[in-house]
Amino acid sequence: MNVTTERLEDHKVALNITIPQADVAKAFDRAWKNISAKVTIPGFRKGKAPRKIIEQRVGLEAIKEEAFELLAGKYYVEAVEQEKIEPVSQPSVDIIVMEEDQDMQYKVTVTVKPEVELGEYKGLKVEKTVREVAAADIDDALDKLRERKAQMVVAEGAKLAQGDFAIIDFAGFIDGQPFSGGEGKGYPLEIGSGNFIPGFEEQLIGAGAGEERTVNVSFPEEYFAKELAGKAAEFKVTVHDVKRKQLPELTDEFVKENSTFATVEEWKTDCKKRFEETAARNAQTEYENNVIKTAVENAKADIPNVMVENKVSEIVEDMAANLKSRGLNFDDYLKYIGKDIAALRESYRENALGDVRAELVMDAIIKVEDLKVEAEELEKEVEMMAAQYKRPLAEVKKALVKSGNIVAVNRAILRRKAARLILDSAARE
């Protein structure tokens, strides 16, 4: 095999590959035999028909295509390894010469992984800020506990205000005609919740028990029910009751009944401790993210668009798989959020760009630092995967090797090592 390389713009590389005629002839021989084993020729057992008969039946071009498939992939992989390039896109193939009695010539054009110019990534100094737990945080937590135990009671003689619950009957009409889903009885509506059409709840403010009101609203243009979207509607509403939350009194007895603590002070002390631990964890996570982010921002890389698009596809595919695992349909999800697939992909593009940049920087550090994965590290990683998916270790190993995903596992370990190297070398406060 002979290979010459052309560097093109936009991180593309053209590999001009020439395969010796002797190998081409062997591939043609294998090709017609492969085809012979698949087709039925009257008067011959499968695989036993002469080549001329096979050519007459399927055509010479079919044999050429089969021979090309036998040769192209194998020599492309060898050419990539020989030229030490790392493709990040599907190859585009142009056949130049494909004849049995000549050297085979073809050109493969592919986008390759860009070079990264690392900036400072060791000894980085990034401030770590731990959020102070205030007394108001503790009081807010107690209020939330009281909210969960609140009771709704009828507020006699009260007029509806923000935060109140109206127990209502309603009937909706469009152009004087009732519509499907536009009627309800004894519905508990929290004023200010935004659960109804915009403008509906506000028009009930000031109403009392037994009062009837006419509410005029328009359905949003992007309303999920397309037959109602953008249409004006009139609702006849009867308010039966005005209810308000009644919070339980904050006493030692209340805390004892609703927690594992005996007094309000004990609860507050434990709550503060937990909040402080959470604040410390969050601060450490934010600090580590900012250290890595700084190392990535210090590097320079011109990222091919295909890498970003591939990452977007990966994100969307993971989302679809996650939805499916929960029994949800991806197309239904798109309708629910009001986006088509193009808009969804665009919304993830910036995140994808950041992910690709970070991965490229980690890969560059792996190369510079000559990081390696030890056998026991890979074993531990696969063990964790087996435990996660509740499958036998041997089965998971075999599947990873067979699918080639063991390479991705190895790369993930290396990238974590690169990130840990950045963090461990960061300047201490």
Side-chain angles (χ1 to χ4, degrees):
M1 176 186 71
N2 178 264
V3 181
T4 60
T5 303
E6 297 176 62
R7 294 283 172 175
L8 309 174
E9 61 182 12
D10 297 330
H11 304 286
K12 288 185 170 61
V13 167
L15 298 171
N16 295 287
I17 304 172
T18 301
I19 301 172
Q21 186 273 330
D23 291 342
V24 176
K26 289 177 184 177
F28 267 80
D29 189 58
R30 282 181 56 199
W32 80 262
K33 287 178 179 177
N34 288 348
I35 293 173
S36 176
K38 298 174 185 175
V39 299
T40 300
I41 306 292
F44 296 95
R45 296 198 308 273
K46 278 191 175 182
K48 298 300 181 180
R51 175 171 172 173
K52 285 187 177 181
I53 300 296
I54 296 297
E55 286 186 13
Q56 290 172 1
R57 174 57 64 95
V58 303
L60 181 58
E61 286 303 313
I63 296 176
K64 282 186 179 182
E65 288 176 11
E66 178 74 11
F68 182 80
E69 292 297 324
L70 291 171
L71 292 168
K74 173 180 178 294
Y75 282 98
Y76 166 66
V77 171
E78 291 183 9
V80 165
E81 292 176 352
Q82 177 180 305
E83 300 302 305
K84 295 181 171 55
I85 63 172
E86 194 169 344
V88 293
S89 70
Q90 290 297 318
S92 172
V93 180
D94 293 309
I95 302 173
I96 300 169
V97 177
M98 185 59 194
E99 300 295 340
E100 188 172 6
D101 59 352
Q102 298 180 49
D103 292 347
M104 172 179 156
Q105 297 177 41
Y106 67 112
K107 180 166 78 171
V108 180
T109 305
V110 67
T111 303
V112 297
K113 192 175 184 177
E115 291 293 327
V116 175
E117 183 184 334
L118 288 173
E120 188 178 4
Y121 64 90
K122 288 182 179 179
L124 298 175
K125 189 173 183 179
V126 176
E127 184 179 354
K128 179 166 72 172
T129 304
V130 182
R131 180 181 175 275
E132 185 178 349
V133 178
D137 297 323
I138 311 301
D139 292 339
D140 184 58
L142 280 169
D143 287 343
K144 286 179 179 176
L145 176 63
R146 294 172 67 204
E147 286 275 355
R148 289 198 297 271
K149 299 299 179 180
Q151 293 182 331
M152 300 302 301
V153 297
V154 174
E156 297 290 348
K159 302 295 184 181
L160 281 171
Q162 288 286 333
D164 288 345
F165 277 81
I167 307 303
I168 62 172
D169 292 345
F170 62 90
F173 302 87
I174 293 178
D175 296 331
Q177 299 297 317
F179 59 90
S180 176
E183 184 176 8
K185 300 284 188 181
Y187 188 92
L189 174 63
E190 182 180 5
I191 305 301
S193 66
N195 288 336
F196 266 35
I197 306 163
F200 187 101
E201 295 164 22
E202 291 82 350
Q203 294 181 54
L204 296 182
I205 290 176
E211 188 172 335
E212 295 182 356
R213 285 203 174 182
T214 298
V215 173
N216 291 289
V217 292
S218 292
F219 285 93
E221 293 292 341
E222 300 300 323
Y223 196 64
F224 72 93
K226 299 300 182 184
E227 67 276 11
L228 301 178
K231 292 187 177 179
E234 180 182 87
F235 286 86
K236 300 295 184 182
V237 182
T238 301
V239 178
H240 290 296
D241 281 310
V242 176
K243 289 189 174 184
R244 288 178 178 163
K245 287 182 181 178
Q246 187 175 77
L247 300 180
E249 187 180 353
L250 183 59
T251 63
D252 290 345
E253 188 63 28
F254 169 76
V255 169
K256 189 174 182 179
E257 289 177 357
N258 294 284
S259 73
T260 59
F261 303 98
T263 67
V264 174
E265 286 307 312
E266 282 184 18
W267 196 95
K268 284 185 174 182
T269 300
D270 181 78
C271 186
K272 184 177 182 181
K273 179 184 175 184
R274 287 185 286 109
F275 279 14
E276 288 174 341
E277 290 172 348
T278 299
R281 286 195 301 271
N282 291 343
Q284 181 63 24
T285 299
E286 184 180 22
Y287 163 76
E288 292 183 358
N289 288 341
N290 286 337
V291 171
I292 299 297
K293 182 181 177 183
T294 301
V296 172
E297 289 176 346
N298 286 345
K300 295 179 181 178
D302 182 22
I303 301 172
N305 185 60
V306 67
M307 294 188 75
V308 181
E309 291 301 320
N310 288 344
K311 179 58 69 172
V312 171
S313 295
E314 185 181 313
I315 293 171
V316 172
E317 287 165 9
D318 285 347
M319 174 190 289
N322 182 265
L323 288 169
K324 186 177 180 180
S325 71
R326 292 185 285 152
L328 301 174
N329 181 274
F330 183 63
D331 290 335
D332 290 343
Y333 171 76
L334 289 177
K335 291 178 184 176
Y336 176 76
I337 63 174
K339 290 183 178 180
D340 59 18
I341 188 65
L344 181 70
R345 289 181 63 88
E346 185 60 32
S347 70
Y348 284 115
R349 185 175 175 77
E350 187 174 347
N351 286 342
L353 177 61
D355 289 348
V356 171
R357 183 178 296 278
E359 290 171 358
L360 286 171
V361 172
M362 293 306 113
D363 290 348
I365 293 172
I366 290 165
K367 185 176 180 180
V368 169
E369 297 289 342
D370 195 26
L371 300 180
K372 306 293 183 187
V373 175
E374 303 297 333
E376 57 268 24
E377 291 175 316
L378 185 58
E379 183 76 9
K380 184 178 179 181
E381 187 78 9
V382 177
E383 284 177 359
M384 291 172 59
M385 294 177 68
Q388 178 185 352
Y389 294 109
K390 299 179 181 178
R391 307 300 301 174
L393 178 59
E395 179 184 315
V396 174
K397 277 185 183 179
K398 184 178 179 181
L400 288 171
V401 172
K402 185 177 180 180
S403 65
N405 286 329
I406 196 70
V407 175
V409 175
N410 198 76
R411 187 185 302 116
I413 297 171
L414 285 171
R415 285 174 178 168
R416 288 203 301 269
K417 277 191 163 187
R420 180 46 55 190
L421 183 149
I422 296 170
L423 294 170
D424 289 345
S425 70
R428 300 301 175 186
E429 297 177 345

